Each structure stands twice: as structure tokens, then as C-alpha cells.
Amino acid sequence: MKSTIKDCTYKILTSHNRRTARLVALSSDNELPWLVKRAFFIDSVEKEIRGNHAHKICNQFFICNNGTIKIICKDGKTSKEFELNNLKQTLLVPSGIWVLLEMN
């Protein structure tokens, strides 16, 4: 089945706030609809464009722990812009969706 923009969804993670720290946990059992096999972390980025490709098989899960990331998703017919700017808000992107990341 071919993925569409409607399959790209925000997911809000549970935050455990304490006086001294905030913990946001993620597990394949609860938050993700598939098993994570590999993770990439991007840090200390000045304004840059990354991605600009689609994956045939790989599903993607985006988390922004600092700053703002604009994610433009395209399914061949429709384009939609998503923005991540806090640790609790994440984006699930299924395989077959073209992804372009604009980091500020």
C-alpha cells in the first residue's frame, strides 16, 4: 500500500517534569508502531537543509530536542509542512514519503 501525506502524523510523548529535570521517554512498545533499527541524532547545526529524499522501506521518526526543524513531506501529489520545536512533539513519516528537513 502506498503511503500518503495523511499517513504522516504528529505524536506527543509523555513528559515527566520534576523540579530539577524533565524526562521524555520513548519505547517501541508504546510510542512507535514499528521496531527501531537505527537512529540518527543531529546536533549543533546552523541553518541547513538535510534529507531531500525518500526511503523505499524505512519508516522515519523525527524528534527535535533543540531549536526548530521544519519538515516538508511530499507523496507525489500532495505536499505538507510540519514543524518540530520541542522534545515532546515528534513526527512519524512512513516509507515512500519524500522528506526535506530545514533546520534553524
Side-chain angles (χ1 to χ4, degrees):
M1 179 169 74
K2 186 170 172 23
S3 299
T4 68
I5 290 299
K6 292 179 182 178
D7 298 315
C8 299
T9 56
Y10 282 117
K11 173 88 173 142
I12 303 298
L13 300 177
T14 302
S15 176
H16 304 279
N17 298 312
R18 300 289 185 265
R19 185 175 47 83
T20 57
R22 176 178 60 172
L23 172 70
V24 178
L26 171 67
S27 70
S28 292
D29 296 338
N30 299 320
E31 288 82 19
L32 295 176
W34 15 259
L35 180 63
V36 175
K37 293 186 178 179
R38 182 170 54 175
F40 297 94
F41 298 89
I42 301 170
D43 190 17
S44 303
V45 175
E46 294 184 20
K47 190 169 181 146
E48 182 177 9
I49 293 177
R50 306 264 319 166
N52 207 17
H53 64 276
H55 292 271
K56 291 181 180 180
I57 300 171
C58 177
N59 296 306
Q60 299 179 80
F61 183 73
F62 295 95
I63 300 171
C64 180
N65 68 332
N66 188 15
T68 300
I69 298 176
K70 182 167 56 172
I71 302 171
I72 301 165
C73 297
K74 301 176 183 180
D75 64 9
K77 294 181 182 177
T78 306
S79 178
K80 185 171 180 180
E81 184 177 302
F82 299 88
E83 186 173 283
L84 299 178
N85 57 19
N86 71 69
L87 186 59
K88 293 188 326 183
Q89 185 182 38
T90 64
L91 181 67
L92 294 160
V93 179
S95 61
I97 300 294
W98 193 272
V99 176
L100 182 132
L101 305 169
E102 291 183 5
M103 292 171 268
N104 295 321

XYZ file of all heavy atoms in Angstrom:
839
model
N 0.839 -1.170 0.000
C 0.000 0.000 0.000
C 0.893 1.246 0.000
O 1.830 1.351 0.779
C -0.903 -0.016 1.229
C -1.787 1.185 1.311
S -3.071 1.058 2.573
C -2.135 1.294 4.054
N 0.603 2.188 -0.878
C 1.388 3.415 -0.998
C 1.019 4.407 0.100
O -0.143 4.653 0.379
C 1.144 4.036 -2.366
C 2.008 5.237 -2.648
C 1.889 5.636 -4.098
C 2.563 6.924 -4.462
N 3.612 7.430 -3.695
N 2.037 4.975 0.740
C 1.819 5.964 1.794
C 1.418 7.304 1.190
O 1.818 7.648 0.080
C 3.096 6.151 2.612
O 3.470 4.943 3.229
N 0.630 8.069 1.946
C 0.238 9.408 1.540
C 0.556 10.385 2.672
O 0.902 9.975 3.783
C -1.271 9.500 1.222
O -2.010 9.330 2.431
C -1.689 8.454 0.194
N 0.394 11.664 2.393
C 0.629 12.700 3.398
C -0.226 12.462 4.638
O 0.201 12.736 5.759
C 0.361 14.093 2.797
C 1.439 14.443 1.779
C 0.280 15.173 3.865
C 2.845 14.508 2.329
N -1.415 11.922 4.470
C -2.295 11.661 5.617
C -1.682 10.662 6.592
O -2.071 10.599 7.754
C -3.656 11.168 5.145
C -4.444 12.216 4.414
C -5.767 11.674 3.943
C -6.527 12.731 3.173
N -7.800 12.252 2.663
N -0.712 9.867 6.129
C -0.050 8.890 6.991
C 1.072 9.512 7.835
O 1.600 8.878 8.739
C 0.529 7.741 6.155
C -0.551 6.985 5.408
O -1.590 6.688 6.015
O -0.353 6.706 4.206
N 1.450 10.752 7.535
C 2.453 11.478 8.328
C 1.720 12.089 9.514
O 0.816 12.898 9.345
C 3.100 12.585 7.502
S 3.979 12.004 6.048
N 2.100 11.695 10.717
C 1.334 12.126 11.892
C 2.229 12.600 13.018
O 3.313 12.072 13.249
C 0.460 10.973 12.424
O 1.298 9.850 12.712
C -0.604 10.563 11.436
N 1.737 13.620 13.709
C 2.401 14.054 14.936
C 2.102 13.054 16.036
O 1.034 12.451 16.086
C 1.864 15.418 15.400
C 2.394 16.609 14.657
C 1.543 17.424 13.925
C 3.740 16.955 14.711
C 2.007 18.549 13.266
C 4.222 18.072 14.055
C 3.347 18.864 13.333
O 3.819 19.972 12.681
N 3.049 12.879 16.919
C 2.881 12.038 18.095
C 3.434 12.827 19.275
O 4.538 13.359 19.206
C 3.664 10.730 17.912
C 3.719 9.838 19.104
C 2.543 8.914 19.142
C 2.738 7.912 20.274
N 1.524 7.617 20.940
N 2.659 12.934 20.339
C 3.104 13.638 21.534
C 3.571 12.613 22.560
O 2.831 11.696 22.925
C 1.964 14.496 22.135
C 1.432 15.474 21.096
C 2.438 15.225 23.382
C 2.424 16.477 20.577
N 4.808 12.756 23.010
C 5.370 11.852 24.007
C 5.051 12.351 25.404
O 4.875 13.549 25.628
C 6.884 11.747 23.828
C 7.364 11.232 22.475
C 8.882 11.260 22.416
C 6.837 9.845 22.196
N 5.003 11.444 26.340
C 4.736 11.790 27.729
C 5.971 12.420 28.350
O 7.083 11.918 28.206
C 4.340 10.531 28.528
O 3.204 9.957 27.907
C 4.019 10.872 29.960
N 5.745 13.514 29.058
C 6.826 14.220 29.730
C 6.649 14.070 31.237
O 5.548 14.224 31.761
C 6.780 15.700 29.347
O 7.744 16.421 30.051
N 7.732 13.745 31.910
C 7.730 13.626 33.363
C 8.558 14.793 33.907
O 9.787 14.779 33.845
C 8.328 12.286 33.796
C 7.635 11.115 33.173
N 6.454 10.617 33.656
C 7.950 10.376 32.079
C 6.073 9.607 32.899
N 6.967 9.436 31.939
N 7.861 15.808 34.386
C 8.527 17.018 34.853
C 8.797 16.945 36.349
O 7.916 16.603 37.125
C 7.678 18.244 34.531
C 7.493 18.407 33.046
O 8.450 18.344 32.294
N 6.264 18.603 32.616
N 9.999 17.274 36.709
C 10.413 17.346 38.097
C 10.995 18.735 38.344
O 11.282 19.477 37.404
C 11.468 16.275 38.417
C 11.007 14.848 38.182
C 9.980 14.423 39.229
N 9.620 13.032 39.106
C 8.570 12.581 38.447
N 7.783 13.416 37.813
N 8.297 11.295 38.404
N 11.228 19.038 39.563
C 11.801 20.329 39.908
C 13.183 20.516 39.280
O 13.540 21.605 38.853
C 11.889 20.460 41.431
C 12.366 21.803 41.929
C 12.308 21.910 43.437
N 12.854 20.765 44.163
C 14.152 20.583 44.427
N 15.029 21.467 44.048
N 14.552 19.527 45.092
N 13.944 19.449 39.179
C 15.324 19.544 38.709
C 15.543 19.096 37.263
O 16.614 19.331 36.710
C 16.235 18.694 39.609
O 15.752 17.351 39.598
C 16.265 19.240 41.015
N 14.555 18.449 36.667
C 14.763 17.940 35.306
C 13.441 17.546 34.649
O 12.421 17.400 35.314
C 15.686 16.728 35.344
N 13.501 17.359 33.343
C 12.360 16.844 32.584
C 12.817 15.584 31.858
O 13.871 15.568 31.231
C 11.882 17.875 31.565
C 10.755 17.332 30.690
C 10.236 18.342 29.729
N 11.322 18.779 28.855
C 11.150 19.545 27.806
N 9.963 20.004 27.507
N 12.168 19.879 27.057
N 12.033 14.531 31.949
C 12.341 13.271 31.292
C 11.246 12.972 30.270
O 10.057 12.993 30.600
C 12.400 12.133 32.321
C 12.516 10.724 31.746
C 13.888 10.524 31.127
C 12.236 9.694 32.805
N 11.660 12.711 29.035
C 10.739 12.285 27.988
C 11.233 10.926 27.523
O 12.361 10.794 27.039
C 10.707 13.282 26.810
C 9.782 12.791 25.719
C 10.272 14.667 27.296
N 10.412 9.912 27.704
C 10.818 8.544 27.366
C 10.148 8.094 26.071
O 9.042 8.509 25.740
C 10.438 7.605 28.498
N 10.819 7.206 25.368
C 10.322 6.665 24.109
C 10.599 5.174 24.088
O 11.705 4.734 24.378
C 11.060 7.345 22.940
C 10.845 6.793 21.558
C 9.404 7.035 21.111
C 11.808 7.457 20.591
N 9.584 4.392 23.750
C 9.790 2.956 23.618
C 9.019 2.435 22.416
O 7.964 2.948 22.068
C 9.341 2.213 24.876
O 7.943 2.246 24.997
N 9.578 1.418 21.767
C 8.910 0.818 20.614
C 7.584 0.182 21.009
O 6.677 0.069 20.204
C 9.810 -0.221 19.956
O 10.919 0.405 19.356
N 7.477 -0.248 22.254
C 6.249 -0.894 22.714
C 5.071 0.067 22.780
O 3.944 -0.301 22.466
C 6.453 -1.505 24.103
C 7.469 -2.619 24.094
O 7.714 -3.204 23.025
O 8.026 -2.908 25.162
N 5.316 1.322 23.196
C 4.220 2.247 23.446
C 4.062 3.350 22.407
O 2.957 3.627 21.970
C 4.394 2.898 24.825
C 4.377 1.875 25.930
O 3.605 0.942 25.881
N 5.235 2.054 26.909
N 5.125 4.009 22.012
C 5.018 5.186 21.176
C 5.171 4.945 19.686
O 4.671 5.711 18.880
C 6.051 6.244 21.611
C 5.725 6.911 22.924
C 6.156 6.080 24.122
O 7.004 5.192 23.965
O 5.626 6.315 25.210
N 5.890 3.907 19.303
C 6.162 3.677 17.887
C 5.401 2.469 17.353
O 5.333 1.443 18.013
C 7.659 3.458 17.666
C 8.545 4.657 17.966
C 10.006 4.277 17.806
C 8.202 5.816 17.069
N 4.877 2.584 16.133
C 4.150 1.454 15.550
C 5.061 0.405 14.919
O 4.591 -0.573 14.376
C 3.279 2.126 14.490
C 4.021 3.352 14.109
C 4.758 3.796 15.348
N 6.408 0.604 15.008
C 7.345 -0.345 14.436
C 8.624 -0.350 15.253
O 8.885 0.549 16.022
C 7.675 -0.034 12.975
C 7.286 1.318 12.496
C 6.197 1.621 11.748
C 7.949 2.571 12.733
N 6.147 2.965 11.509
C 7.203 3.575 12.097
C 9.081 2.939 13.426
C 7.555 4.913 12.122
C 9.443 4.280 13.455
C 8.680 5.236 12.802
N 9.417 -1.377 15.072
C 10.676 -1.538 15.798
C 11.741 -0.607 15.226
O 11.892 -0.499 14.010
C 11.157 -2.992 15.687
C 12.453 -3.344 16.387
C 12.320 -3.163 17.891
C 12.847 -4.773 16.066
N 12.480 0.068 16.075
C 13.561 0.957 15.645
C 14.824 0.124 15.428
O 15.264 -0.585 16.321
C 13.831 2.052 16.702
C 15.043 2.893 16.304
C 12.606 2.915 16.892
N 15.392 0.224 14.230
C 16.619 -0.497 13.929
C 17.833 0.411 13.908
O 18.954 -0.027 14.089
C 16.490 -1.197 12.583
C 15.475 -2.323 12.591
C 15.483 -3.065 11.290
C 14.494 -4.207 11.323
N 14.463 -4.931 10.064
N 17.602 1.715 13.662
C 18.719 2.653 13.579
C 18.206 4.044 13.921
O 17.079 4.386 13.590
C 19.304 2.634 12.174
C 20.488 3.515 11.998
C 21.198 3.296 10.687
N 20.315 3.412 9.550
C 20.723 3.355 8.298
N 21.987 3.156 8.024
N 19.879 3.471 7.315
N 19.044 4.844 14.571
C 18.663 6.211 14.940
C 19.794 7.166 14.568
O 20.970 6.822 14.668
C 18.384 6.300 16.437
N 19.414 8.353 14.123
C 20.364 9.413 13.815
C 20.051 10.604 14.698
O 18.888 10.947 14.884
C 20.240 9.860 12.356
C 20.557 8.800 11.358
C 19.551 8.023 10.821
C 21.868 8.574 10.960
C 19.830 7.037 9.890
C 22.155 7.595 10.034
C 21.145 6.822 9.498
N 21.071 11.244 15.222
C 20.909 12.440 16.031
C 21.712 13.552 15.378
O 22.903 13.380 15.104
C 21.396 12.205 17.467
C 20.611 11.140 18.171
C 20.992 9.815 18.092
C 19.477 11.471 18.896
C 20.270 8.821 18.729
C 18.743 10.484 19.536
C 19.141 9.161 19.451
N 21.072 14.678 15.124
C 21.739 15.825 14.519
C 21.859 16.888 15.593
O 20.886 17.246 16.240
C 20.933 16.350 13.318
C 20.775 15.237 12.284
C 21.616 17.570 12.717
C 19.808 15.571 11.184
N 23.064 17.400 15.773
C 23.310 18.363 16.838
C 24.195 19.491 16.312
O 24.943 19.310 15.353
C 24.002 17.649 18.003
C 24.089 18.504 19.250
O 23.370 19.504 19.345
O 24.900 18.167 20.117
N 24.112 20.641 16.948
C 24.957 21.787 16.650
C 24.900 22.169 15.175
O 25.924 22.303 14.512
C 26.406 21.499 17.050
O 26.474 21.155 18.405
N 23.713 22.333 14.660
C 23.523 22.641 13.250
C 23.140 24.100 13.082
O 22.247 24.591 13.754
C 22.414 21.748 12.638
C 22.140 22.148 11.205
C 22.807 20.296 12.718
N 23.846 24.760 12.188
C 23.401 26.082 11.783
C 22.385 25.855 10.666
O 22.116 24.722 10.293
C 24.596 26.900 11.319
C 25.563 27.179 12.470
C 26.711 28.068 12.056
O 26.586 28.768 11.047
O 27.719 28.041 12.758
N 21.834 26.920 10.137
C 20.798 26.778 9.116
C 21.296 25.869 7.992
O 22.330 26.130 7.380
C 20.419 28.143 8.572
C 19.208 28.087 7.701
C 18.675 29.442 7.374
C 17.437 29.225 6.521
N 16.448 30.208 6.747
N 20.567 24.796 7.765
C 20.994 23.796 6.794
C 19.785 23.014 6.294
O 18.790 22.861 7.001
C 21.994 22.832 7.454
C 22.537 21.799 6.522
C 23.578 20.879 7.162
O 23.760 20.935 8.392
O 24.187 20.112 6.431
N 19.882 22.498 5.071
C 18.861 21.610 4.519
C 19.443 20.210 4.469
O 20.564 20.002 4.024
C 18.413 22.066 3.116
C 17.672 23.399 3.227
C 17.536 21.014 2.456
C 17.233 23.989 1.921
N 18.689 19.244 4.973
C 19.122 17.838 5.002
C 18.016 16.972 4.413
O 16.911 17.425 4.175
C 19.398 17.386 6.440
C 20.350 18.236 7.227
C 21.742 17.769 7.242
N 21.818 16.323 7.394
C 22.914 15.638 7.169
N 23.991 16.249 6.796
N 22.948 14.343 7.324
N 18.308 15.722 4.264
C 17.319 14.785 3.743
C 17.185 14.950 2.244
O 18.098 14.645 1.503
N 16.047 15.454 1.825
C 15.720 15.669 0.415
C 15.739 14.355 -0.364
O 16.285 14.270 -1.455
C 16.636 16.718 -0.210
C 15.971 17.425 -1.380
O 14.751 17.364 -1.531
N 16.741 18.099 -2.199
N 15.145 13.343 0.252
C 14.999 12.037 -0.388
C 13.884 11.250 0.316
O 13.398 11.647 1.358
C 16.315 11.254 -0.357
C 16.786 10.896 1.018
N 17.520 11.769 1.799
C 16.619 9.777 1.769
C 17.796 11.192 2.957
N 17.255 9.981 2.968
N 13.508 10.143 -0.275
C 12.519 9.238 0.323
C 13.179 7.885 0.555
O 14.199 7.568 -0.052
C 11.313 9.079 -0.595
N 12.599 7.097 1.441
C 13.063 5.733 1.689
C 12.033 4.758 1.139
O 10.833 4.936 1.355
C 13.241 5.485 3.190
C 14.371 6.258 3.787
N 15.653 5.772 3.829
C 14.422 7.477 4.351
C 16.442 6.661 4.394
N 15.716 7.713 4.725
N 12.484 3.729 0.455
C 11.564 2.728 -0.097
C 10.956 1.855 0.989
O 9.798 1.490 0.925
C 12.292 1.839 -1.107
C 12.678 2.550 -2.364
C 13.379 1.586 -3.310
C 13.782 2.295 -4.588
N 14.465 1.383 -5.510
N 11.758 1.510 2.006
C 11.306 0.580 3.036
C 11.289 1.219 4.427
O 10.418 0.933 5.231
C 12.217 -0.673 3.063
C 12.163 -1.384 1.711
C 11.813 -1.613 4.178
C 13.176 -2.492 1.554
N 12.230 2.077 4.707
C 12.436 2.633 6.041
C 11.352 3.640 6.446
O 11.050 4.574 5.716
C 13.797 3.316 6.063
S 14.215 4.138 7.600
N 10.759 3.434 7.619
C 9.883 4.427 8.244
C 10.764 5.367 9.039
O 11.815 4.974 9.550
C 8.886 3.755 9.190
C 7.950 2.833 8.458
O 7.296 3.212 7.506
N 7.890 1.585 8.902
N 10.338 6.621 9.187
C 11.149 7.597 9.900
C 10.367 8.214 11.052
O 9.158 8.366 10.982
C 11.611 8.698 8.943
C 12.473 8.165 7.817
C 12.896 9.262 6.885
O 13.836 9.994 7.180
N 12.209 9.393 5.771
N 11.110 8.576 12.091
C 10.540 9.164 13.295
C 11.435 10.331 13.668
O 12.625 10.145 13.893
C 10.531 8.100 14.393
C 9.913 8.523 15.673
C 8.540 8.663 15.781
C 10.698 8.767 16.778
C 7.963 9.046 16.979
C 10.134 9.148 17.986
C 8.755 9.289 18.080
N 10.905 11.539 13.701
C 11.706 12.735 13.945
C 11.409 13.330 15.307
O 10.251 13.458 15.693
C 11.430 13.781 12.864
C 11.861 13.348 11.498
C 10.959 12.762 10.628
C 13.173 13.507 11.080
C 11.342 12.346 9.368
C 13.573 13.092 9.827
C 12.659 12.517 8.962
N 12.481 13.707 16.009
C 12.400 14.380 17.304
C 13.349 15.578 17.245
O 14.486 15.443 16.797
C 12.856 13.459 18.456
C 11.999 12.207 18.529
C 12.837 14.202 19.784
C 12.532 11.166 19.505
N 12.895 16.721 17.699
C 13.748 17.902 17.774
C 13.984 18.235 19.238
O 13.058 18.626 19.938
C 13.088 19.080 17.064
S 14.073 20.582 17.115
N 15.204 18.066 19.701
C 15.464 18.330 21.120
C 15.982 19.746 21.384
O 16.106 20.156 22.524
C 16.415 17.296 21.718
C 17.805 17.402 21.156
O 17.991 17.827 20.035
N 18.781 16.995 21.933
N 16.261 20.507 20.310
C 16.757 21.866 20.497
C 16.513 22.655 19.215
O 16.785 22.166 18.131
C 18.250 21.839 20.830
C 18.771 23.194 21.231
O 18.005 24.103 21.536
N 20.080 23.348 21.220
N 15.997 23.857 19.326
C 15.765 24.682 18.154
C 14.483 24.292 17.431
O 13.539 23.794 18.035
N 14.477 24.497 16.123
C 13.294 24.230 15.304
C 13.710 23.503 14.035
O 14.713 23.859 13.411
C 12.596 25.547 14.913
O 12.196 26.224 16.100
C 11.365 25.293 14.063
N 12.941 22.497 13.670
C 13.132 21.794 12.407
C 11.824 21.871 11.633
O 10.765 21.508 12.150
C 13.527 20.317 12.603
C 14.856 20.200 13.332
C 13.603 19.606 11.252
C 15.259 18.776 13.648
N 11.905 22.363 10.396
C 10.750 22.353 9.503
C 10.912 21.130 8.608
O 11.973 20.924 8.011
C 10.702 23.636 8.680
C 9.492 23.695 7.770
C 9.246 25.072 7.173
C 10.397 25.616 6.416
N 10.106 26.859 5.682
N 9.882 20.302 8.539
C 9.926 19.077 7.751
C 8.869 19.176 6.664
O 7.677 19.303 6.958
C 9.678 17.838 8.636
C 10.721 17.787 9.760
C 9.711 16.561 7.796
C 10.445 16.743 10.810
N 9.316 19.133 5.416
C 8.403 19.181 4.283
C 8.281 17.765 3.738
O 9.282 17.147 3.361
C 8.917 20.148 3.204
C 9.054 21.543 3.811
C 7.981 20.152 1.995
C 9.860 22.504 2.989
N 7.056 17.243 3.729
C 6.784 15.884 3.259
C 5.985 15.942 1.962
O 5.054 16.738 1.841
C 6.001 15.110 4.319
S 6.892 14.873 5.861
N 6.334 15.078 1.014
C 5.648 15.022 -0.279
C 5.365 13.569 -0.624
O 6.222 12.702 -0.434
C 6.512 15.642 -1.368
C 6.879 17.091 -1.113
C 7.811 17.614 -2.183
C 8.222 19.039 -1.874
N 9.131 19.582 -2.884
N 4.158 13.327 -1.141
C 3.809 11.959 -1.528
C 3.664 11.782 -3.044
O 3.177 10.770 -3.517
C 2.531 11.499 -0.810
C 1.300 12.295 -1.196
O 1.354 13.115 -2.141
O 0.255 12.103 -0.548
N 4.086 12.781 -3.829
C 3.961 12.712 -5.276
C 2.774 13.512 -5.789
O 2.742 13.927 -6.936
N 1.786 13.726 -4.938
C 0.605 14.517 -5.298
C 0.434 15.705 -4.368
O 0.043 16.780 -4.786
C -0.655 13.652 -5.234
C -0.705 12.546 -6.257
C -1.992 11.756 -6.136
C -1.995 10.624 -7.147
N -3.178 9.780 -7.024
N 0.710 15.490 -3.087
C 0.452 16.495 -2.060
C 1.732 16.777 -1.282
O 2.553 15.883 -1.070
C -0.638 15.989 -1.088
O -1.781 15.604 -1.840
C -1.043 17.054 -0.103
N 1.851 18.006 -0.837
C 2.975 18.419 -0.006
C 2.417 19.029 1.276
O 1.400 19.713 1.247
C 3.814 19.456 -0.757
O 4.869 19.904 0.036
N 3.083 18.757 2.409
C 2.647 19.323 3.678
C 3.869 19.657 4.511
O 4.840 18.906 4.536
C 1.750 18.341 4.431
C 1.174 18.932 5.707
C 0.122 18.026 6.329
C -0.433 18.660 7.595
N -1.445 17.829 8.225
N 3.800 20.797 5.202
C 4.895 21.231 6.052
C 4.555 20.957 7.518
O 3.456 21.274 7.971
C 5.118 22.723 5.846
C 6.293 23.274 6.592
C 6.502 24.747 6.284
O 6.690 25.082 5.101
O 6.459 25.543 7.237
N 5.498 20.378 8.230
C 5.388 20.114 9.662
C 6.503 20.881 10.356
O 7.543 21.128 9.766
C 5.537 18.624 9.966
C 4.493 17.753 9.325
C 4.682 17.248 8.042
C 3.330 17.428 10.004
C 3.727 16.442 7.449
C 2.371 16.621 9.416
C 2.566 16.133 8.137
N 6.300 21.229 11.613
C 7.342 21.914 12.373
C 7.485 21.252 13.735
O 6.500 21.002 14.412
C 7.004 23.393 12.533
C 8.119 24.170 13.197
C 7.871 25.658 13.211
O 8.051 26.297 12.161
O 7.480 26.169 14.280
N 8.718 20.976 14.102
C 9.025 20.429 15.420
C 9.876 21.441 16.168
O 10.867 21.941 15.631
C 9.797 19.115 15.299
C 9.088 17.969 14.581
C 10.011 16.760 14.499
C 7.805 17.598 15.271
N 9.477 21.757 17.404
C 10.259 22.723 18.174
C 10.286 22.417 19.665
O 10.633 23.265 20.465
C 9.752 24.147 17.936
C 8.291 24.292 18.269
O 7.718 23.476 18.979
N 7.671 25.334 17.747
N 9.902 21.191 20.035
C 10.060 20.788 21.429
C 10.222 19.279 21.500
O 9.830 18.555 20.592
C 8.893 21.283 22.303
C 7.608 20.563 22.037
O 7.470 19.386 22.350
N 6.638 21.253 21.444
N 10.801 18.827 22.569
C 11.163 17.414 22.727
C 9.962 16.474 22.771
O 10.049 15.337 22.340
C 12.004 17.255 24.000
C 12.598 15.897 24.288
C 13.506 15.459 23.151
C 13.376 15.933 25.580
N 8.824 16.937 23.257
C 7.659 16.054 23.386
C 6.949 15.823 22.060
O 6.313 14.806 21.863
C 6.653 16.645 24.379
C 7.149 16.684 25.795
C 6.101 17.085 26.804
C 5.089 18.076 26.314
N 4.132 18.498 27.332
N 7.044 16.768 21.124
C 6.337 16.638 19.857
C 7.233 15.947 18.841
O 8.374 16.344 18.630
C 5.938 18.016 19.336
C 5.106 17.957 18.081
C 4.778 19.345 17.571
O 5.601 20.235 17.636
N 3.580 19.518 17.081
N 6.728 14.897 18.227
C 7.504 14.121 17.270
C 6.689 13.944 15.990
O 5.508 14.264 15.946
C 7.851 12.744 17.857
O 6.641 12.016 18.062
C 8.594 12.870 19.177
N 7.336 13.433 14.952
C 6.651 13.214 13.681
C 6.969 11.820 13.164
O 8.132 11.446 13.045
C 7.084 14.268 12.655
C 6.434 14.166 11.279
C 4.938 14.473 11.365
C 7.111 15.102 10.286
N 5.934 11.068 12.848
C 6.065 9.752 12.229
C 5.884 9.916 10.724
O 4.888 10.486 10.282
C 4.988 8.801 12.752
C 5.060 8.435 14.221
C 3.714 7.915 14.696
C 6.122 7.394 14.444
N 6.851 9.426 9.932
C 6.780 9.504 8.476
C 6.993 8.098 7.918
O 8.062 7.515 8.090
C 7.842 10.471 7.906
C 7.761 10.513 6.386
C 7.676 11.868 8.496
N 5.988 7.547 7.237
C 6.126 6.194 6.697
C 6.997 6.162 5.440
O 7.282 7.202 4.838
C 4.684 5.803 6.370
C 4.006 7.096 6.084
C 4.667 8.103 6.979
N 7.400 4.973 5.055
C 8.214 4.801 3.853
C 7.461 5.335 2.630
O 6.232 5.400 2.617
C 8.562 3.329 3.654
O 7.381 2.573 3.481
N 8.228 5.745 1.627
C 7.638 6.228 0.389
C 7.330 7.714 0.371
O 6.906 8.247 -0.646
N 7.548 8.408 1.476
C 7.286 9.842 1.554
C 8.607 10.605 1.391
O 9.582 10.315 2.089
C 6.632 10.223 2.895
C 5.293 9.495 3.087
C 6.456 11.737 3.022
C 4.204 9.893 2.122
N 8.633 11.553 0.470
C 9.809 12.405 0.269
C 9.919 13.373 1.423
O 8.945 14.004 1.786
C 9.661 13.169 -1.047
C 10.928 13.820 -1.507
C 11.372 15.056 -1.176
C 11.909 13.261 -2.381
N 12.566 15.316 -1.784
C 12.924 14.224 -2.541
C 12.024 12.033 -3.040
C 14.031 14.012 -3.336
C 13.135 11.839 -3.832
C 14.120 12.809 -3.970
N 11.106 13.498 2.020
C 11.300 14.335 3.204
C 12.444 15.311 2.976
O 13.540 14.919 2.566
C 11.607 13.468 4.452
C 11.912 14.337 5.659
C 10.441 12.545 4.756
N 12.175 16.587 3.270
C 13.196 17.619 3.242
C 13.192 18.303 4.604
O 12.133 18.711 5.083
C 12.885 18.646 2.142
C 13.923 19.733 1.992
C 14.284 19.895 0.529
C 13.423 21.034 2.562
N 14.353 18.361 5.242
C 14.474 18.980 6.578
C 15.140 20.334 6.456
O 16.218 20.444 5.861
C 15.335 18.106 7.496
C 14.927 16.662 7.682
C 16.025 15.891 8.382
C 13.645 16.575 8.441
N 14.502 21.360 7.017
C 15.108 22.690 7.098
C 15.359 22.977 8.567
O 14.413 23.090 9.346
C 14.190 23.753 6.501
C 14.031 23.640 5.018
C 13.176 24.753 4.434
O 12.775 25.676 5.168
O 12.914 24.695 3.228
N 16.623 23.072 8.942
C 16.971 23.293 10.341
C 17.406 24.723 10.556
O 18.139 25.283 9.744
C 18.071 22.323 10.750
C 17.556 20.898 10.781
S 18.846 19.703 11.001
C 19.233 19.342 9.329
N 16.912 25.305 11.649
C 17.271 26.687 12.003
C 18.052 26.704 13.290
O 17.922 25.887 14.115
C 16.020 27.527 12.164
C 15.282 27.666 10.850
O 15.898 27.819 9.810
N 13.968 27.585 10.910
